[in-house]
Amino acid sequence: MTIAVALVGFVGVLSAQFIAAWREDRRWRRDQEREDKKWQRERDKEIDNRGYEGRQNAYAQVIAAVEA
């Protein structure tokens, strides 16, 4: 009887460890996806800013050429 109780306790502890590891892995993946999305937004924003600055410089050069 005591061996059965010990076995049930051992299985309970192992189950708790597996569940905790699974939850932590799921949380880590969710955080990683959030970070990836954040960095992607920042890269997209930087690309948009570069495009805007490039157009701005081109227009400035055209205006300078027309004025000259």
Side-chain angles (χ1 to χ4, degrees):
M1 181 68 173
T2 57
I3 293 177
V5 171
L7 187 60
V8 168
F10 183 70
V11 169
V13 169
L14 284 180
S15 299
Q17 288 297 317
F18 284 128
I19 290 170
W22 173 73
R23 289 178 67 199
E24 182 61 29
D25 186 50
R26 192 174 71 179
R27 183 180 305 121
W28 183 84
R29 274 189 266 125
R30 192 170 50 233
D31 289 346
Q32 190 66 34
E33 288 173 8
R34 189 178 301 128
E35 283 292 316
D36 290 345
K37 287 178 184 178
K38 174 184 163 190
W39 284 108
Q40 185 62 43
R41 279 193 309 267
E42 289 185 17
R43 281 191 296 269
D44 292 345
K45 189 180 195 182
E46 182 64 29
I47 289 169
D48 289 345
N49 286 342
R50 277 194 222 138
Y52 177 76
E53 290 172 2
R55 286 191 306 273
Q56 191 177 25
N57 288 336
Y59 291 143
Q61 290 173 1
V62 167
I63 291 172
V66 168
E67 287 178 353

Short mmCIF file of all heavy atoms in Angstrom, two decimals:
data_model
loop_
_atom_site.label_atom_id
_atom_site.label_comp_id
_atom_site.label_asym_id
_atom_site.label_seq_id
_atom_site.Cartn_x
_atom_site.Cartn_y
_atom_site.Cartn_z
N MET A 1 0.82 -1.20 0.00
CA MET A 1 0.00 0.00 0.00
C MET A 1 0.87 1.26 0.00
O MET A 1 0.57 2.21 -0.72
CB MET A 1 -0.93 -0.04 1.22
CG MET A 1 -1.85 1.12 1.31
SD MET A 1 -3.04 1.07 -0.03
CE MET A 1 -4.07 2.38 0.42
N THR A 2 1.90 1.25 0.83
CA THR A 2 2.75 2.45 0.89
C THR A 2 3.50 2.67 -0.41
O THR A 2 3.77 3.81 -0.78
CB THR A 2 3.75 2.35 2.06
OG1 THR A 2 4.54 1.17 1.89
CG2 THR A 2 3.04 2.31 3.38
N ILE A 3 3.84 1.58 -1.08
CA ILE A 3 4.53 1.73 -2.37
C ILE A 3 3.59 2.37 -3.39
O ILE A 3 4.00 3.22 -4.18
CB ILE A 3 5.04 0.35 -2.86
CG1 ILE A 3 6.14 -0.14 -1.92
CG2 ILE A 3 5.56 0.45 -4.29
CD1 ILE A 3 6.66 -1.52 -2.25
N ALA A 4 2.32 2.02 -3.36
CA ALA A 4 1.35 2.61 -4.28
C ALA A 4 1.19 4.10 -4.00
O ALA A 4 1.13 4.91 -4.93
CB ALA A 4 0.01 1.89 -4.15
N VAL A 5 1.14 4.48 -2.74
CA VAL A 5 1.02 5.90 -2.38
C VAL A 5 2.28 6.65 -2.83
O VAL A 5 2.19 7.75 -3.37
CB VAL A 5 0.79 6.05 -0.86
CG1 VAL A 5 0.88 7.50 -0.44
CG2 VAL A 5 -0.55 5.46 -0.46
N ALA A 6 3.44 6.06 -2.62
CA ALA A 6 4.69 6.69 -3.05
C ALA A 6 4.71 6.84 -4.56
O ALA A 6 5.14 7.87 -5.10
CB ALA A 6 5.88 5.88 -2.57
N LEU A 7 4.24 5.82 -5.26
CA LEU A 7 4.21 5.86 -6.72
C LEU A 7 3.25 6.95 -7.20
O LEU A 7 3.58 7.71 -8.12
CB LEU A 7 3.79 4.50 -7.28
CG LEU A 7 3.87 4.35 -8.79
CD1 LEU A 7 5.29 4.58 -9.28
CD2 LEU A 7 3.38 2.97 -9.21
N VAL A 8 2.09 7.06 -6.58
CA VAL A 8 1.14 8.11 -6.95
C VAL A 8 1.74 9.49 -6.67
O VAL A 8 1.61 10.41 -7.48
CB VAL A 8 -0.20 7.92 -6.20
CG1 VAL A 8 -1.09 9.14 -6.34
CG2 VAL A 8 -0.91 6.67 -6.69
N GLY A 9 2.42 9.64 -5.56
CA GLY A 9 3.08 10.91 -5.24
C GLY A 9 4.16 11.25 -6.25
O GLY A 9 4.28 12.40 -6.68
N PHE A 10 4.94 10.25 -6.62
CA PHE A 10 6.01 10.45 -7.60
C PHE A 10 5.43 10.85 -8.95
O PHE A 10 5.92 11.78 -9.59
CB PHE A 10 6.84 9.17 -7.72
CG PHE A 10 8.00 9.30 -8.65
CD1 PHE A 10 9.09 10.09 -8.32
CD2 PHE A 10 8.00 8.63 -9.86
CE1 PHE A 10 10.16 10.21 -9.18
CE2 PHE A 10 9.07 8.75 -10.74
CZ PHE A 10 10.16 9.53 -10.40
N VAL A 11 4.38 10.17 -9.37
CA VAL A 11 3.72 10.51 -10.64
C VAL A 11 3.14 11.92 -10.57
O VAL A 11 3.21 12.69 -11.53
CB VAL A 11 2.64 9.47 -10.99
CG1 VAL A 11 1.77 9.95 -12.14
CG2 VAL A 11 3.27 8.14 -11.33
N GLY A 12 2.60 12.30 -9.42
CA GLY A 12 2.06 13.64 -9.25
C GLY A 12 3.14 14.70 -9.38
O GLY A 12 2.94 15.73 -10.03
N VAL A 13 4.28 14.46 -8.78
CA VAL A 13 5.39 15.42 -8.86
C VAL A 13 5.89 15.53 -10.29
O VAL A 13 6.13 16.63 -10.80
CB VAL A 13 6.53 15.00 -7.91
CG1 VAL A 13 7.79 15.81 -8.17
CG2 VAL A 13 6.10 15.16 -6.46
N LEU A 14 6.06 14.39 -10.95
CA LEU A 14 6.50 14.43 -12.35
C LEU A 14 5.49 15.16 -13.23
O LEU A 14 5.87 15.96 -14.09
CB LEU A 14 6.71 13.01 -12.89
CG LEU A 14 7.98 12.31 -12.45
CD1 LEU A 14 8.05 10.91 -13.07
CD2 LEU A 14 9.20 13.11 -12.83
N SER A 15 4.22 14.90 -13.01
CA SER A 15 3.19 15.57 -13.80
C SER A 15 3.24 17.08 -13.58
O SER A 15 3.13 17.85 -14.54
CB SER A 15 1.80 15.05 -13.42
OG SER A 15 1.70 13.67 -13.66
N ALA A 16 3.40 17.48 -12.34
CA ALA A 16 3.48 18.91 -12.05
C ALA A 16 4.68 19.55 -12.74
O ALA A 16 4.59 20.66 -13.27
CB ALA A 16 3.55 19.13 -10.54
N GLN A 17 5.81 18.85 -12.76
CA GLN A 17 7.00 19.37 -13.43
C GLN A 17 6.79 19.49 -14.93
O GLN A 17 7.18 20.49 -15.55
CB GLN A 17 8.21 18.47 -13.14
CG GLN A 17 8.70 18.57 -11.73
CD GLN A 17 9.21 19.96 -11.41
OE1 GLN A 17 9.90 20.59 -12.19
NE2 GLN A 17 8.83 20.46 -10.25
N PHE A 18 6.18 18.47 -15.53
CA PHE A 18 5.91 18.54 -16.98
C PHE A 18 4.94 19.66 -17.32
O PHE A 18 5.13 20.38 -18.29
CB PHE A 18 5.37 17.20 -17.48
CG PHE A 18 6.42 16.14 -17.63
CD1 PHE A 18 6.25 14.89 -17.04
CD2 PHE A 18 7.58 16.39 -18.34
CE1 PHE A 18 7.22 13.93 -17.17
CE2 PHE A 18 8.56 15.41 -18.47
CZ PHE A 18 8.38 14.18 -17.88
N ILE A 19 3.91 19.83 -16.51
CA ILE A 19 2.95 20.90 -16.75
C ILE A 19 3.61 22.27 -16.61
O ILE A 19 3.41 23.16 -17.44
CB ILE A 19 1.73 20.75 -15.82
CG1 ILE A 19 0.91 19.52 -16.23
CG2 ILE A 19 0.87 22.00 -15.85
CD1 ILE A 19 -0.17 19.15 -15.23
N ALA A 20 4.43 22.42 -15.57
CA ALA A 20 5.13 23.71 -15.37
C ALA A 20 6.08 24.00 -16.53
O ALA A 20 6.15 25.14 -17.01
CB ALA A 20 5.88 23.68 -14.04
N ALA A 21 6.79 22.98 -16.99
CA ALA A 21 7.71 23.18 -18.12
C ALA A 21 6.95 23.53 -19.39
O ALA A 21 7.37 24.40 -20.15
CB ALA A 21 8.55 21.92 -18.33
N TRP A 22 5.82 22.88 -19.62
CA TRP A 22 5.01 23.16 -20.80
C TRP A 22 4.48 24.59 -20.77
O TRP A 22 4.54 25.31 -21.77
CB TRP A 22 3.85 22.16 -20.85
CG TRP A 22 2.86 22.44 -21.92
CD1 TRP A 22 3.02 22.25 -23.26
CD2 TRP A 22 1.55 22.99 -21.75
NE1 TRP A 22 1.89 22.65 -23.93
CE2 TRP A 22 0.97 23.10 -23.02
CE3 TRP A 22 0.82 23.38 -20.63
CZ2 TRP A 22 -0.31 23.60 -23.20
CZ3 TRP A 22 -0.45 23.87 -20.82
CH2 TRP A 22 -1.01 23.97 -22.09
N ARG A 23 3.99 25.01 -19.61
CA ARG A 23 3.47 26.38 -19.48
C ARG A 23 4.58 27.41 -19.68
O ARG A 23 4.39 28.44 -20.33
CB ARG A 23 2.82 26.57 -18.12
CG ARG A 23 1.51 25.83 -17.98
CD ARG A 23 0.91 26.01 -16.62
NE ARG A 23 0.50 27.39 -16.45
CZ ARG A 23 0.27 27.95 -15.28
NH1 ARG A 23 0.43 27.27 -14.18
NH2 ARG A 23 -0.10 29.20 -15.21
N GLU A 24 5.76 27.14 -19.11
CA GLU A 24 6.87 28.07 -19.26
C GLU A 24 7.32 28.15 -20.73
O GLU A 24 7.62 29.23 -21.24
CB GLU A 24 8.05 27.63 -18.38
CG GLU A 24 9.23 28.56 -18.44
CD GLU A 24 8.93 29.95 -17.95
OE1 GLU A 24 8.03 30.13 -17.09
OE2 GLU A 24 9.58 30.90 -18.45
N ASP A 25 7.35 27.02 -21.40
CA ASP A 25 7.72 27.01 -22.81
C ASP A 25 6.72 27.80 -23.64
O ASP A 25 7.10 28.58 -24.51
CB ASP A 25 7.80 25.57 -23.31
CG ASP A 25 8.32 25.50 -24.73
OD1 ASP A 25 9.37 26.11 -25.01
OD2 ASP A 25 7.67 24.84 -25.56
N ARG A 26 5.45 27.61 -23.34
CA ARG A 26 4.40 28.35 -24.06
C ARG A 26 4.53 29.84 -23.78
O ARG A 26 4.44 30.66 -24.70
CB ARG A 26 3.03 27.84 -23.61
CG ARG A 26 1.90 28.34 -24.48
CD ARG A 26 0.62 27.71 -24.08
NE ARG A 26 0.21 28.27 -22.80
CZ ARG A 26 -0.90 27.95 -22.15
NH1 ARG A 26 -1.69 27.05 -22.64
NH2 ARG A 26 -1.20 28.52 -21.01
N ARG A 27 4.79 30.23 -22.55
CA ARG A 27 4.97 31.64 -22.19
C ARG A 27 6.19 32.22 -22.90
O ARG A 27 6.16 33.34 -23.41
CB ARG A 27 5.13 31.78 -20.68
CG ARG A 27 5.25 33.22 -20.21
CD ARG A 27 5.41 33.34 -18.70
NE ARG A 27 4.34 32.68 -17.99
CZ ARG A 27 4.51 31.68 -17.10
NH1 ARG A 27 5.72 31.25 -16.82
NH2 ARG A 27 3.48 31.13 -16.49
N TRP A 28 7.29 31.44 -22.94
CA TRP A 28 8.50 31.92 -23.59
C TRP A 28 8.26 32.14 -25.07
O TRP A 28 8.69 33.15 -25.63
CB TRP A 28 9.62 30.89 -23.39
CG TRP A 28 10.92 31.34 -23.96
CD1 TRP A 28 11.84 32.16 -23.37
CD2 TRP A 28 11.43 31.03 -25.26
NE1 TRP A 28 12.89 32.37 -24.22
CE2 TRP A 28 12.67 31.69 -25.38
CE3 TRP A 28 10.96 30.26 -26.31
CZ2 TRP A 28 13.43 31.59 -26.53
CZ3 TRP A 28 11.73 30.18 -27.46
CH2 TRP A 28 12.95 30.84 -27.55
N ARG A 29 7.55 31.19 -25.74
CA ARG A 29 7.26 31.37 -27.17
C ARG A 29 6.39 32.59 -27.41
O ARG A 29 6.61 33.33 -28.37
CB ARG A 29 6.56 30.12 -27.72
CG ARG A 29 7.57 29.08 -28.17
CD ARG A 29 6.90 27.94 -28.91
NE ARG A 29 6.62 26.89 -27.93
CZ ARG A 29 5.44 26.35 -27.70
NH1 ARG A 29 4.40 26.70 -28.39
NH2 ARG A 29 5.30 25.42 -26.79
N ARG A 30 5.41 32.81 -26.55
CA ARG A 30 4.53 33.98 -26.70
C ARG A 30 5.33 35.27 -26.54
O ARG A 30 5.17 36.21 -27.32
CB ARG A 30 3.40 33.89 -25.66
CG ARG A 30 2.28 34.85 -25.89
CD ARG A 30 1.10 34.57 -24.98
NE ARG A 30 1.47 34.43 -23.59
CZ ARG A 30 1.15 33.39 -22.83
NH1 ARG A 30 0.46 32.39 -23.31
NH2 ARG A 30 1.52 33.34 -21.56
N ASP A 31 6.22 35.30 -25.55
CA ASP A 31 7.07 36.49 -25.37
C ASP A 31 8.00 36.69 -26.56
O ASP A 31 8.23 37.81 -26.99
CB ASP A 31 7.89 36.36 -24.09
CG ASP A 31 7.06 36.49 -22.83
OD1 ASP A 31 5.89 36.93 -22.93
OD2 ASP A 31 7.56 36.12 -21.74
N GLN A 32 8.53 35.59 -27.08
CA GLN A 32 9.43 35.68 -28.23
C GLN A 32 8.68 36.21 -29.45
O GLN A 32 9.21 37.06 -30.18
CB GLN A 32 10.02 34.29 -28.53
CG GLN A 32 11.13 34.33 -29.53
CD GLN A 32 12.35 35.06 -29.01
OE1 GLN A 32 12.66 35.02 -27.82
NE2 GLN A 32 13.04 35.75 -29.88
N GLU A 33 7.47 35.74 -29.67
CA GLU A 33 6.67 36.24 -30.79
C GLU A 33 6.38 37.73 -30.63
O GLU A 33 6.44 38.49 -31.60
CB GLU A 33 5.36 35.48 -30.89
CG GLU A 33 5.51 34.06 -31.40
CD GLU A 33 4.22 33.26 -31.33
OE1 GLU A 33 3.16 33.86 -31.02
OE2 GLU A 33 4.27 32.06 -31.59
N ARG A 34 6.08 38.15 -29.40
CA ARG A 34 5.83 39.56 -29.13
C ARG A 34 7.06 40.40 -29.44
O ARG A 34 6.97 41.46 -30.06
CB ARG A 34 5.41 39.72 -27.67
CG ARG A 34 4.92 41.10 -27.33
CD ARG A 34 4.47 41.21 -25.88
NE ARG A 34 3.40 40.27 -25.58
CZ ARG A 34 3.41 39.40 -24.55
NH1 ARG A 34 4.42 39.38 -23.71
NH2 ARG A 34 2.40 38.58 -24.35
N GLU A 35 8.24 39.92 -29.01
CA GLU A 35 9.48 40.64 -29.30
C GLU A 35 9.76 40.69 -30.80
O GLU A 35 10.18 41.73 -31.32
CB GLU A 35 10.66 39.97 -28.58
CG GLU A 35 10.74 40.28 -27.12
CD GLU A 35 11.09 41.72 -26.85
OE1 GLU A 35 12.00 42.27 -27.52
OE2 GLU A 35 10.45 42.32 -25.99
N ASP A 36 9.52 39.57 -31.49
CA ASP A 36 9.74 39.55 -32.94
C ASP A 36 8.83 40.55 -33.64
O ASP A 36 9.27 41.26 -34.55
CB ASP A 36 9.49 38.15 -33.50
CG ASP A 36 10.56 37.15 -33.08
OD1 ASP A 36 11.64 37.59 -32.61
OD2 ASP A 36 10.32 35.93 -33.23
N LYS A 37 7.57 40.61 -33.23
CA LYS A 37 6.65 41.57 -33.84
C LYS A 37 7.09 43.00 -33.55
O LYS A 37 7.02 43.87 -34.42
CB LYS A 37 5.23 41.35 -33.32
CG LYS A 37 4.58 40.11 -33.87
CD LYS A 37 3.21 39.92 -33.29
CE LYS A 37 2.59 38.61 -33.78
NZ LYS A 37 1.28 38.37 -33.19
N LYS A 38 7.57 43.24 -32.34
CA LYS A 38 8.03 44.58 -31.97
C LYS A 38 9.21 45.00 -32.86
O LYS A 38 9.24 46.11 -33.40
CB LYS A 38 8.46 44.59 -30.51
CG LYS A 38 9.08 45.87 -30.04
CD LYS A 38 9.55 45.74 -28.61
CE LYS A 38 10.51 46.83 -28.26
NZ LYS A 38 11.16 46.60 -26.97
N TRP A 39 10.19 44.09 -33.01
CA TRP A 39 11.36 44.42 -33.83
C TRP A 39 10.97 44.58 -35.30
O TRP A 39 11.52 45.43 -36.00
CB TRP A 39 12.44 43.35 -33.67
CG TRP A 39 13.16 43.49 -32.39
CD1 TRP A 39 13.07 42.68 -31.29
CD2 TRP A 39 14.08 44.53 -32.02
NE1 TRP A 39 13.87 43.14 -30.29
CE2 TRP A 39 14.50 44.27 -30.70
CE3 TRP A 39 14.57 45.65 -32.68
CZ2 TRP A 39 15.41 45.10 -30.05
CZ3 TRP A 39 15.47 46.47 -32.02
CH2 TRP A 39 15.88 46.19 -30.72
N GLN A 40 10.01 43.78 -35.77
CA GLN A 40 9.56 43.91 -37.16
C GLN A 40 8.91 45.27 -37.38
O GLN A 40 9.14 45.92 -38.39
CB GLN A 40 8.59 42.78 -37.51
CG GLN A 40 8.18 42.78 -38.97
CD GLN A 40 9.35 42.57 -39.90
OE1 GLN A 40 10.20 41.73 -39.66
NE2 GLN A 40 9.40 43.35 -40.98
N ARG A 41 8.08 45.71 -36.41
CA ARG A 41 7.47 47.03 -36.53
C ARG A 41 8.54 48.11 -36.57
O ARG A 41 8.44 49.07 -37.35
CB ARG A 41 6.52 47.28 -35.35
CG ARG A 41 5.17 46.66 -35.50
CD ARG A 41 4.19 47.20 -34.48
NE ARG A 41 4.67 47.16 -33.11
CZ ARG A 41 4.45 46.16 -32.25
NH1 ARG A 41 3.77 45.12 -32.62
NH2 ARG A 41 4.91 46.23 -31.02
N GLU A 42 9.57 47.99 -35.72
CA GLU A 42 10.63 48.99 -35.71
C GLU A 42 11.40 49.00 -37.03
O GLU A 42 11.77 50.06 -37.53
CB GLU A 42 11.56 48.76 -34.53
CG GLU A 42 10.89 49.10 -33.20
CD GLU A 42 11.84 48.99 -32.02
OE1 GLU A 42 13.07 48.96 -32.24
OE2 GLU A 42 11.33 48.94 -30.90
N ARG A 43 11.67 47.79 -37.60
CA ARG A 43 12.36 47.73 -38.89
C ARG A 43 11.50 48.35 -39.98
O ARG A 43 12.01 49.11 -40.82
CB ARG A 43 12.69 46.28 -39.25
CG ARG A 43 13.91 45.75 -38.52
CD ARG A 43 14.35 44.42 -39.09
NE ARG A 43 13.37 43.37 -38.91
CZ ARG A 43 13.32 42.54 -37.87
NH1 ARG A 43 14.22 42.64 -36.91
NH2 ARG A 43 12.40 41.60 -37.80
N ASP A 44 10.20 48.05 -39.99
CA ASP A 44 9.30 48.62 -40.99
C ASP A 44 9.25 50.14 -40.86
O ASP A 44 9.26 50.86 -41.86
CB ASP A 44 7.89 48.04 -40.85
CG ASP A 44 7.82 46.58 -41.23
OD1 ASP A 44 8.78 46.07 -41.86
OD2 ASP A 44 6.82 45.93 -40.87
N LYS A 45 9.22 50.62 -39.63
CA LYS A 45 9.20 52.06 -39.38
C LYS A 45 10.48 52.71 -39.90
O LYS A 45 10.44 53.77 -40.53
CB LYS A 45 9.05 52.30 -37.89
CG LYS A 45 8.80 53.71 -37.48
CD LYS A 45 8.69 53.72 -35.96
CE LYS A 45 8.11 54.95 -35.40
NZ LYS A 45 8.07 54.92 -33.94
N GLU A 46 11.61 52.06 -39.66
CA GLU A 46 12.89 52.58 -40.12
C GLU A 46 12.94 52.62 -41.65
O GLU A 46 13.41 53.58 -42.26
CB GLU A 46 14.04 51.73 -39.57
CG GLU A 46 15.41 52.21 -39.96
CD GLU A 46 15.76 53.57 -39.40
OE1 GLU A 46 15.25 53.92 -38.31
OE2 GLU A 46 16.52 54.30 -40.06
N ILE A 47 12.44 51.58 -42.30
CA ILE A 47 12.40 51.54 -43.76
C ILE A 47 11.51 52.66 -44.30
O ILE A 47 11.87 53.34 -45.26
CB ILE A 47 11.94 50.15 -44.26
CG1 ILE A 47 13.04 49.12 -44.00
CG2 ILE A 47 11.58 50.19 -45.73
CD1 ILE A 47 12.60 47.69 -44.21
N ASP A 48 10.36 52.86 -43.67
CA ASP A 48 9.47 53.95 -44.09
C ASP A 48 10.15 55.31 -43.91
O ASP A 48 10.03 56.18 -44.77
CB ASP A 48 8.16 53.92 -43.30
CG ASP A 48 7.27 52.76 -43.69
OD1 ASP A 48 7.52 52.15 -44.75
OD2 ASP A 48 6.33 52.47 -42.94
N ASN A 49 10.85 55.49 -42.80
CA ASN A 49 11.54 56.76 -42.56
C ASN A 49 12.63 57.00 -43.59
O ASN A 49 12.80 58.12 -44.07
CB ASN A 49 12.13 56.79 -41.16
CG ASN A 49 11.07 56.98 -40.09
OD1 ASN A 49 9.96 57.40 -40.38
ND2 ASN A 49 11.41 56.64 -38.86
N ARG A 50 13.36 55.93 -43.95
CA ARG A 50 14.40 56.08 -44.96
C ARG A 50 13.80 56.48 -46.29
O ARG A 50 14.35 57.31 -47.01
CB ARG A 50 15.18 54.78 -45.12
CG ARG A 50 16.26 54.62 -44.11
CD ARG A 50 17.21 53.52 -44.52
NE ARG A 50 17.52 52.74 -43.35
CZ ARG A 50 17.60 51.43 -43.29
NH1 ARG A 50 17.42 50.72 -44.38
NH2 ARG A 50 17.88 50.82 -42.17
N GLY A 51 12.66 55.88 -46.64
CA GLY A 51 12.00 56.22 -47.90
C GLY A 51 11.56 57.66 -47.90
O GLY A 51 11.72 58.38 -48.89
N TYR A 52 11.02 58.12 -46.79
CA TYR A 52 10.58 59.51 -46.67
C TYR A 52 11.76 60.46 -46.79
O TYR A 52 11.70 61.46 -47.51
CB TYR A 52 9.85 59.71 -45.35
CG TYR A 52 9.43 61.14 -45.11
CD1 TYR A 52 8.33 61.68 -45.78
CD2 TYR A 52 10.13 61.96 -44.24
CE1 TYR A 52 7.95 62.98 -45.58
CE2 TYR A 52 9.76 63.26 -44.03
CZ TYR A 52 8.66 63.78 -44.70
OH TYR A 52 8.29 65.07 -44.50
N GLU A 53 12.84 60.13 -46.09
CA GLU A 53 14.02 60.98 -46.14
C GLU A 53 14.62 61.00 -47.54
O GLU A 53 15.10 62.04 -48.01
CB GLU A 53 15.06 60.51 -45.12
CG GLU A 53 14.66 60.75 -43.68
CD GLU A 53 15.61 60.10 -42.69
OE1 GLU A 53 16.61 59.48 -43.12
OE2 GLU A 53 15.33 60.18 -41.49
N GLY A 54 14.60 59.87 -48.23
CA GLY A 54 15.12 59.81 -49.60
C GLY A 54 14.31 60.69 -50.53
O GLY A 54 14.88 61.43 -51.35
N ARG A 55 12.98 60.62 -50.42
CA ARG A 55 12.13 61.48 -51.25
C ARG A 55 12.36 62.95 -50.90
O ARG A 55 12.41 63.80 -51.79
CB ARG A 55 10.65 61.12 -51.04
CG ARG A 55 10.25 59.83 -51.70
CD ARG A 55 8.74 59.64 -51.69
NE ARG A 55 8.14 59.74 -50.37
CZ ARG A 55 8.02 58.71 -49.53
NH1 ARG A 55 8.44 57.52 -49.86
NH2 ARG A 55 7.44 58.88 -48.35
N GLN A 56 12.50 63.23 -49.63
CA GLN A 56 12.72 64.60 -49.19
C GLN A 56 14.03 65.15 -49.78
O GLN A 56 14.06 66.27 -50.29
CB GLN A 56 12.77 64.64 -47.66
CG GLN A 56 12.73 66.02 -47.06
CD GLN A 56 12.70 65.95 -45.53
OE1 GLN A 56 13.15 64.98 -44.94
NE2 GLN A 56 12.17 66.97 -44.91
N ASN A 57 15.08 64.36 -49.75
CA ASN A 57 16.36 64.78 -50.32
C ASN A 57 16.25 64.95 -51.84
O ASN A 57 16.81 65.90 -52.40
CB ASN A 57 17.46 63.78 -49.97
CG ASN A 57 17.85 63.83 -48.51
OD1 ASN A 57 17.65 64.84 -47.85
ND2 ASN A 57 18.39 62.74 -48.02
N ALA A 58 15.55 64.05 -52.50
CA ALA A 58 15.39 64.15 -53.95
C ALA A 58 14.64 65.42 -54.31
O ALA A 58 15.02 66.13 -55.25
CB ALA A 58 14.67 62.91 -54.49
N TYR A 59 13.56 65.72 -53.60
CA TYR A 59 12.80 66.95 -53.87
C TYR A 59 13.66 68.18 -53.61
O TYR A 59 13.61 69.16 -54.38
CB TYR A 59 11.54 67.02 -53.02
CG TYR A 59 10.49 66.01 -53.41
CD1 TYR A 59 9.70 65.39 -52.44
CD2 TYR A 59 10.25 65.67 -54.74
CE1 TYR A 59 8.73 64.46 -52.78
CE2 TYR A 59 9.29 64.74 -55.09
CZ TYR A 59 8.53 64.14 -54.11
OH TYR A 59 7.58 63.23 -54.45
N ALA A 60 14.47 68.14 -52.57
CA ALA A 60 15.35 69.28 -52.27
C ALA A 60 16.36 69.48 -53.40
O ALA A 60 16.64 70.62 -53.79
CB ALA A 60 16.06 69.06 -50.94
N GLN A 61 16.89 68.39 -53.92
CA GLN A 61 17.84 68.50 -55.03
C GLN A 61 17.17 69.03 -56.29
O GLN A 61 17.76 69.85 -57.02
CB GLN A 61 18.49 67.13 -55.31
CG GLN A 61 19.45 66.69 -54.22
CD GLN A 61 19.94 65.29 -54.44
OE1 GLN A 61 19.59 64.63 -55.42
NE2 GLN A 61 20.80 64.82 -53.53
N VAL A 62 15.94 68.59 -56.56
CA VAL A 62 15.22 69.07 -57.74
C VAL A 62 14.94 70.57 -57.60
O VAL A 62 15.15 71.34 -58.53
CB VAL A 62 13.91 68.28 -57.93
CG1 VAL A 62 13.01 68.97 -58.95
CG2 VAL A 62 14.21 66.86 -58.36
N ILE A 63 14.51 70.99 -56.44
CA ILE A 63 14.22 72.41 -56.20
C ILE A 63 15.49 73.23 -56.31
O ILE A 63 15.48 74.31 -56.91
CB ILE A 63 13.53 72.60 -54.83
CG1 ILE A 63 12.12 72.00 -54.89
CG2 ILE A 63 13.49 74.06 -54.44
CD1 ILE A 63 11.40 71.96 -53.56
N ALA A 64 16.59 72.70 -55.77
CA ALA A 64 17.88 73.42 -55.86
C ALA A 64 18.32 73.54 -57.32
O ALA A 64 18.84 74.58 -57.74
CB ALA A 64 18.94 72.71 -55.03
N ALA A 65 18.12 72.48 -58.10
CA ALA A 65 18.50 72.50 -59.51
C ALA A 65 17.63 73.50 -60.29
O ALA A 65 18.12 74.21 -61.16
CB ALA A 65 18.39 71.11 -60.11
N VAL A 66 16.35 73.54 -59.99
CA VAL A 66 15.44 74.46 -60.68
C VAL A 66 15.80 75.91 -60.33
O VAL A 66 15.79 76.78 -61.19
CB VAL A 66 13.97 74.15 -60.32
CG1 VAL A 66 13.04 75.26 -60.78
CG2 VAL A 66 13.57 72.81 -60.90
N GLU A 67 16.11 76.15 -59.07
CA GLU A 67 16.46 77.51 -58.65
C GLU A 67 17.79 77.97 -59.24
O GLU A 67 18.00 79.15 -59.46
CB GLU A 67 16.51 77.59 -57.13
CG GLU A 67 15.16 77.54 -56.46
CD GLU A 67 15.23 77.59 -54.94
OE1 GLU A 67 16.35 77.54 -54.40
OE2 GLU A 67 14.17 77.68 -54.31
N ALA A 68 18.69 77.00 -59.48
CA ALA A 68 20.04 77.36 -59.98
C ALA A 68 20.01 77.62 -61.44
O ALA A 68 19.62 78.25 -62.21
CB ALA A 68 21.00 76.23 -59.77
#
